[in-house]
Amino acid sequence: MSAQPDLLYSEEEEALRAAVRDLLTDHCAPADVVARTESDTPHDLPLWKTLADSMGLAGLLVPEALGGQGATHREAAVVLEELGRAVAPVPYLTSAVVATEALLACGADDLLTELASATTVAALAVGLHVGPGGAVPHARLEDGALHGELTGIAGAAVADVLLVPADDGALYAVRTADAGVTVTPQVSLDLTRPVAAVSLDGATGQRLGETGAAVRRALRAGAGLLASEQLGLADWLLTETVRYLKERKQFNRQVGGFQALKHRLARLWLEVAGLRAAARNAADALATGADTDVAVAVAQAYAAQVAVHTAEEALQLHGGLGMTWEHPVHLHLKRAKADSIAYGTAGTHREALAESVDLRAP
């Protein structure tokens, strides 16, 4: 194992990026995403099926012996960068990363095979706001049946299987089609990643393993790879803003030629470059197991601020055009805002870093 993290992209990773970007260009146009957010089906399941069938992305982290690709978190990070650029409304992060990591920790081979083939979509029934090491709400286990309500669950609306932590310390797989399970959509700022409340009233589930290690592993992977999604968001916003300012003219000159705007764009470029390094470091740490907790906390302590700031600047620098519903910048802003509290806020991750070096807050 190398002592130094590898922050560069390999040829295989760049080829994967190109393939995913081409597919999203053909199947995930901004206008289509905007239209889908206004419908009753915000998740784009046909796109998810295409990603899974043509490229095997649903099982990217699943071992080959179970029908997956046997790839690492580095490849998953590249996929999330491209999904972030397109604000693609697919359950990749919630199913192919977070739920998959929990199942890998439990050794749930049958479910992993289902996820790899994209015949099943899974979601971890933990609120999207909960970070690694955070308090995890539990369902109540009585006479072998699960009871209770869990809220803010990302991906629940489209999930076939929910991975539910119970108060006996175990993680259970619950089929959403079974009796006693009700999934109710909740109001969400990010319309491309809706959340839902899950009500369990005597639902039965398959015991998978212990909750603690599985949920922590899943949330850590979610937080670490979320930084790559935030990188994709910020990179697209910066690229599109630069392109627009080169085309837009005022007083018979390019708007982007004004010195004040050049300075703002230069600052954004530096922030995005820093985010790229932090996100790549987190992905590499997850893949190699080297200082993973620190790398993930550093990435998330930085990523939210950069993604939100880039989105706010892009909205303002697009002028009146950026304020229209038809332009996709509002989708990126909402995703950036929602991501800023997903899998732990920046403050939570800073506290985790402080704890790791014994610098606890007074």
Side-chain angles (χ1 to χ4, degrees):
M1 183 185 299
S2 173
Q4 298 295 327
D6 183 3
L7 305 186
L8 301 178
Y9 298 97
S10 67
E11 291 184 8
E12 292 79 8
E13 288 164 357
E14 290 292 4
L16 175 62
R17 178 195 306 284
V20 175
R21 186 174 297 187
D22 286 346
L23 189 149
L24 292 174
T25 299
D26 293 337
H27 297 278
C28 192
D32 295 336
V33 178
V34 172
R36 185 167 287 280
T37 62
E38 299 175 313
S39 71
D40 295 330
T41 55
H43 282 102
D44 192 342
L45 291 182
L47 173 61
W48 173 244
K49 194 67 176 174
T50 300
L51 289 167
D53 291 345
S54 64
M55 305 184 69
L57 297 187
L60 200 61
L61 295 177
V62 177
E64 292 183 63
L66 299 178
Q69 303 298 313
T72 73
H73 299 83
R74 292 176 58 91
E75 288 78 21
V78 170
V79 173
L80 278 165
E81 285 183 36
E82 294 306 310
L83 294 176
R85 288 177 63 89
V87 202
V90 294
Y92 183 83
L93 182 63
T94 53
S95 182
V97 174
V98 176
T100 295
E101 287 284 334
L103 293 173
L104 286 169
C106 294
D109 292 354
D110 291 344
L111 274 175
L112 285 168
T113 300
E114 291 183 33
L115 262 62
S117 65
T119 57
T120 296
V121 174
L124 181 65
V126 175
L128 184 61
H129 64 284
V130 178
V136 176
H138 297 82
R140 188 175 69 260
L141 185 68
E142 292 181 2
D143 299 325
L146 295 165
H147 301 263
E149 183 166 327
L150 303 168
T151 60
I153 312 301
V158 75
D160 304 297
V161 174
L162 296 170
L163 308 182
V164 180
D167 58 4
D168 66 339
L171 190 67
Y172 290 84
V174 177
R175 301 277 174 174
T176 55
D178 289 351
V181 183
T182 304
V183 179
T184 306
Q186 294 180 293
V187 177
S188 175
L189 173 64
D190 179 12
L191 300 176
T192 62
R193 180 176 286 151
V195 296
V198 175
S199 179
L200 303 172
D201 186 13
T204 58
Q206 173 191 354
R207 191 182 192 280
L208 301 175
E210 297 301 316
T211 293
V215 170
R216 190 179 191 286
R217 172 175 170 172
L219 295 180
R220 186 178 67 177
L225 294 183
L226 179 67
S228 291
E229 176 180 286
Q230 291 164 307
L231 169 61
L233 284 169
D235 188 64
W236 183 90
L237 288 161
L238 177 58
T239 301
E240 284 300 304
T241 302
V242 171
R243 182 193 61 78
Y244 174 75
L245 293 180
K246 285 182 177 179
E247 297 176 354
R248 183 80 169 94
K249 289 187 177 181
Q250 283 186 351
F251 308 111
N252 204 30
R253 62 178 292 186
Q254 290 178 335
V255 173
F258 291 102
Q259 191 74 5
L261 298 190
K262 287 182 178 180
H263 288 168
R264 289 168 70 173
L265 293 172
R267 178 185 173 187
L268 290 179
W269 186 89
L270 289 171
E271 290 181 358
V272 173
L275 173 53
R276 189 179 306 279
R280 290 302 294 167
N281 184 48
D284 187 72
L286 285 165
T288 62
D291 294 326
T292 307
D293 290 342
V294 172
V296 169
V298 167
Q300 274 307 312
Y302 184 67
Q305 174 187 349
V306 174
V308 171
H309 180 230
T310 306
E312 291 172 344
E313 286 285 81
L315 181 66
Q316 187 176 63
L317 293 174
H318 272 82
L321 177 65
M323 297 300 295
T324 63
W325 183 258
E326 290 75 18
H327 195 280
V329 69
H330 69 91
L331 296 177
H332 292 76
L333 175 60
K334 292 169 184 173
R335 174 67 69 88
K337 286 283 191 180
D339 282 356
S340 70
I341 60 172
Y343 303 115
T345 63
T348 299
H349 289 283
R350 292 191 187 101
E351 289 177 3
L353 282 172
E355 289 281 345
S356 68
V357 292
D358 201 25
L359 287 177
R360 299 175 182 84

